mmCIF file of all heavy atoms in Angstrom:
data_model
loop_
_atom_site.group_PDB
_atom_site.id
_atom_site.type_symbol
_atom_site.label_atom_id
_atom_site.label_comp_id
_atom_site.label_asym_id
_atom_site.label_seq_id
_atom_site.Cartn_x
_atom_site.Cartn_y
_atom_site.Cartn_z
ATOM 1 N N VAL A 137 -15.629 -35.619 -29.993
ATOM 2 C CA VAL A 137 -15.687 -34.864 -28.732
ATOM 3 C C VAL A 137 -15.870 -33.406 -29.121
ATOM 4 O O VAL A 137 -15.158 -32.914 -30.004
ATOM 5 C CB VAL A 137 -14.397 -35.024 -27.904
ATOM 6 C CG1 VAL A 137 -14.550 -34.367 -26.529
ATOM 7 C CG2 VAL A 137 -14.019 -36.486 -27.749
ATOM 8 N N ARG A 138 -16.842 -32.742 -28.502
ATOM 9 C CA ARG A 138 -17.081 -31.344 -28.876
ATOM 10 C C ARG A 138 -17.641 -30.584 -27.694
ATOM 11 O O ARG A 138 -18.283 -31.169 -26.801
ATOM 12 C CB ARG A 138 -18.044 -31.280 -30.058
ATOM 13 C CG ARG A 138 -19.382 -31.876 -29.692
ATOM 14 C CD ARG A 138 -20.363 -31.806 -30.839
ATOM 15 N NE ARG A 138 -21.701 -32.073 -30.294
ATOM 16 C CZ ARG A 138 -22.795 -32.168 -31.005
ATOM 17 N NH1 ARG A 138 -22.753 -32.015 -32.310
ATOM 18 N NH2 ARG A 138 -23.950 -32.402 -30.425
ATOM 19 N N GLY A 139 -17.401 -29.290 -27.669
ATOM 20 C CA GLY A 139 -17.929 -28.481 -26.575
ATOM 21 C C GLY A 139 -17.303 -27.113 -26.610
ATOM 22 O O GLY A 139 -16.839 -26.656 -27.655
ATOM 23 N N ARG A 140 -17.323 -26.470 -25.440
ATOM 24 C CA ARG A 140 -16.790 -25.116 -25.363
ATOM 25 C C ARG A 140 -15.819 -25.004 -24.210
ATOM 26 O O ARG A 140 -15.923 -25.736 -23.221
ATOM 27 C CB ARG A 140 -17.923 -24.121 -25.110
ATOM 28 C CG ARG A 140 -18.908 -24.018 -26.238
ATOM 29 C CD ARG A 140 -20.046 -23.118 -25.827
ATOM 30 N NE ARG A 140 -19.744 -21.708 -26.056
ATOM 31 C CZ ARG A 140 -20.326 -20.715 -25.396
ATOM 32 N NH1 ARG A 140 -21.182 -20.961 -24.424
ATOM 33 N NH2 ARG A 140 -20.036 -19.463 -25.694
ATOM 34 N N VAL A 141 -14.912 -24.066 -24.341
ATOM 35 C CA VAL A 141 -14.073 -23.671 -23.225
ATOM 36 C C VAL A 141 -14.630 -22.336 -22.743
ATOM 37 O O VAL A 141 -14.737 -21.391 -23.540
ATOM 38 C CB VAL A 141 -12.599 -23.529 -23.639
ATOM 39 C CG1 VAL A 141 -11.742 -23.158 -22.429
ATOM 40 C CG2 VAL A 141 -12.097 -24.816 -24.301
ATOM 41 N N ASP A 187 -15.598 -18.495 -30.449
ATOM 42 C CA ASP A 187 -16.651 -18.704 -29.446
ATOM 43 C C ASP A 187 -16.224 -19.700 -28.379
ATOM 44 O O ASP A 187 -17.061 -20.197 -27.619
ATOM 45 C CB ASP A 187 -17.926 -19.245 -30.111
ATOM 46 C CG ASP A 187 -18.487 -18.246 -31.113
ATOM 47 O OD1 ASP A 187 -18.475 -17.035 -30.806
ATOM 48 O OD2 ASP A 187 -18.915 -18.684 -32.208
ATOM 49 N N GLY A 188 -14.948 -20.039 -28.349
ATOM 50 C CA GLY A 188 -14.460 -21.024 -27.380
ATOM 51 C C GLY A 188 -14.837 -22.449 -27.753
ATOM 52 O O GLY A 188 -14.671 -23.370 -26.955
ATOM 53 N N ARG A 189 -15.362 -22.626 -28.973
ATOM 54 C CA ARG A 189 -15.794 -23.990 -29.364
ATOM 55 C C ARG A 189 -14.621 -24.816 -29.884
ATOM 56 O O ARG A 189 -13.720 -24.293 -30.533
ATOM 57 C CB ARG A 189 -16.854 -23.925 -30.467
ATOM 58 C CG ARG A 189 -18.159 -23.413 -29.966
ATOM 59 C CD ARG A 189 -19.313 -23.548 -30.954
ATOM 60 N NE ARG A 189 -20.443 -22.841 -30.388
ATOM 61 C CZ ARG A 189 -21.219 -23.314 -29.412
ATOM 62 N NH1 ARG A 189 -21.020 -24.540 -28.935
ATOM 63 N NH2 ARG A 189 -22.200 -22.585 -28.922
ATOM 64 N N TYR A 190 -14.708 -26.105 -29.577
ATOM 65 C CA TYR A 190 -13.705 -27.041 -30.113
ATOM 66 C C TYR A 190 -14.426 -28.312 -30.511
ATOM 67 O O TYR A 190 -15.528 -28.602 -30.012
ATOM 68 C CB TYR A 190 -12.631 -27.356 -29.042
ATOM 69 C CG TYR A 190 -13.158 -28.300 -27.987
ATOM 70 C CD1 TYR A 190 -13.042 -29.691 -28.160
ATOM 71 C CD2 TYR A 190 -13.824 -27.836 -26.864
ATOM 72 C CE1 TYR A 190 -13.569 -30.568 -27.228
ATOM 73 C CE2 TYR A 190 -14.355 -28.719 -25.924
ATOM 74 C CZ TYR A 190 -14.229 -30.077 -26.118
ATOM 75 O OH TYR A 190 -14.765 -30.954 -25.208
ATOM 76 N N TRP A 191 -13.852 -29.051 -31.411
ATOM 77 C CA TRP A 191 -14.344 -30.380 -31.751
ATOM 78 C C TRP A 191 -13.251 -31.157 -32.449
ATOM 79 O O TRP A 191 -12.434 -30.577 -33.163
ATOM 80 C CB TRP A 191 -15.637 -30.313 -32.593
ATOM 81 C CG TRP A 191 -15.513 -29.678 -33.940
ATOM 82 C CD1 TRP A 191 -15.403 -30.301 -35.144
ATOM 83 C CD2 TRP A 191 -15.522 -28.261 -34.232
ATOM 84 N NE1 TRP A 191 -15.326 -29.380 -36.163
ATOM 85 C CE2 TRP A 191 -15.396 -28.131 -35.634
ATOM 86 C CE3 TRP A 191 -15.615 -27.110 -33.456
ATOM 87 C CZ2 TRP A 191 -15.352 -26.883 -36.267
ATOM 88 C CZ3 TRP A 191 -15.572 -25.865 -34.085
ATOM 89 C CH2 TRP A 191 -15.443 -25.771 -35.470
ATOM 90 N N VAL A 286 -19.492 -37.123 -27.569
ATOM 91 C CA VAL A 286 -19.251 -36.650 -26.202
ATOM 92 C C VAL A 286 -19.350 -35.134 -26.218
ATOM 93 O O VAL A 286 -18.580 -34.474 -26.915
ATOM 94 C CB VAL A 286 -17.844 -37.064 -25.713
ATOM 95 C CG1 VAL A 286 -17.640 -36.683 -24.253
ATOM 96 C CG2 VAL A 286 -17.607 -38.550 -25.926
ATOM 97 N N ASP A 287 -20.336 -34.581 -25.507
ATOM 98 C CA ASP A 287 -20.461 -33.129 -25.398
ATOM 99 C C ASP A 287 -19.839 -32.731 -24.075
ATOM 100 O O ASP A 287 -20.291 -33.174 -23.013
ATOM 101 C CB ASP A 287 -21.942 -32.720 -25.446
ATOM 102 C CG ASP A 287 -22.505 -32.937 -26.837
ATOM 103 O OD1 ASP A 287 -22.146 -32.164 -27.731
ATOM 104 O OD2 ASP A 287 -23.266 -33.920 -27.036
ATOM 105 N N TRP A 288 -18.780 -31.936 -24.151
ATOM 106 C CA TRP A 288 -18.004 -31.694 -22.925
ATOM 107 C C TRP A 288 -17.457 -30.279 -22.898
ATOM 108 O O TRP A 288 -16.720 -29.875 -23.799
ATOM 109 C CB TRP A 288 -16.847 -32.701 -22.842
ATOM 110 C CG TRP A 288 -16.222 -32.746 -21.499
ATOM 111 C CD1 TRP A 288 -14.981 -32.289 -21.156
ATOM 112 C CD2 TRP A 288 -16.804 -33.266 -20.302
ATOM 113 N NE1 TRP A 288 -14.763 -32.496 -19.822
ATOM 114 C CE2 TRP A 288 -15.859 -33.091 -19.274
ATOM 115 C CE3 TRP A 288 -18.045 -33.860 -20.003
ATOM 116 C CZ2 TRP A 288 -16.111 -33.482 -17.956
ATOM 117 C CZ3 TRP A 288 -18.293 -34.256 -18.703
ATOM 118 C CH2 TRP A 288 -17.327 -34.068 -17.697
ATOM 119 N N ASP A 289 -17.836 -29.506 -21.881
ATOM 120 C CA ASP A 289 -17.325 -28.141 -21.734
ATOM 121 C C ASP A 289 -16.222 -28.109 -20.686
ATOM 122 O O ASP A 289 -16.284 -28.846 -19.698
ATOM 123 C CB ASP A 289 -18.451 -27.185 -21.294
ATOM 124 C CG ASP A 289 -19.479 -26.967 -22.399
ATOM 125 O OD1 ASP A 289 -19.201 -27.351 -23.557
ATOM 126 O OD2 ASP A 289 -20.557 -26.427 -22.094
ATOM 127 N N PHE A 290 -15.243 -27.260 -20.904
ATOM 128 C CA PHE A 290 -14.192 -27.024 -19.909
ATOM 129 C C PHE A 290 -14.415 -25.646 -19.314
ATOM 130 O O PHE A 290 -14.638 -24.686 -20.053
ATOM 131 C CB PHE A 290 -12.807 -27.077 -20.564
ATOM 132 C CG PHE A 290 -12.469 -28.433 -21.111
ATOM 133 C CD1 PHE A 290 -12.713 -28.746 -22.446
ATOM 134 C CD2 PHE A 290 -11.920 -29.406 -20.281
ATOM 135 C CE1 PHE A 290 -12.415 -30.008 -22.947
ATOM 136 C CE2 PHE A 290 -11.622 -30.669 -20.771
ATOM 137 C CZ PHE A 290 -11.874 -30.961 -22.103
#
Side-chain angles (χ1 to χ4, degrees):
V137 187
R138 62 179 195 184
R140 294 174 85 204
V141 182
D187 298 319
R189 289 190 188 282
Y190 75 89
W191 64 100
V286 185
D287 290 288
W288 194 250
D289 291 347
F290 295 94

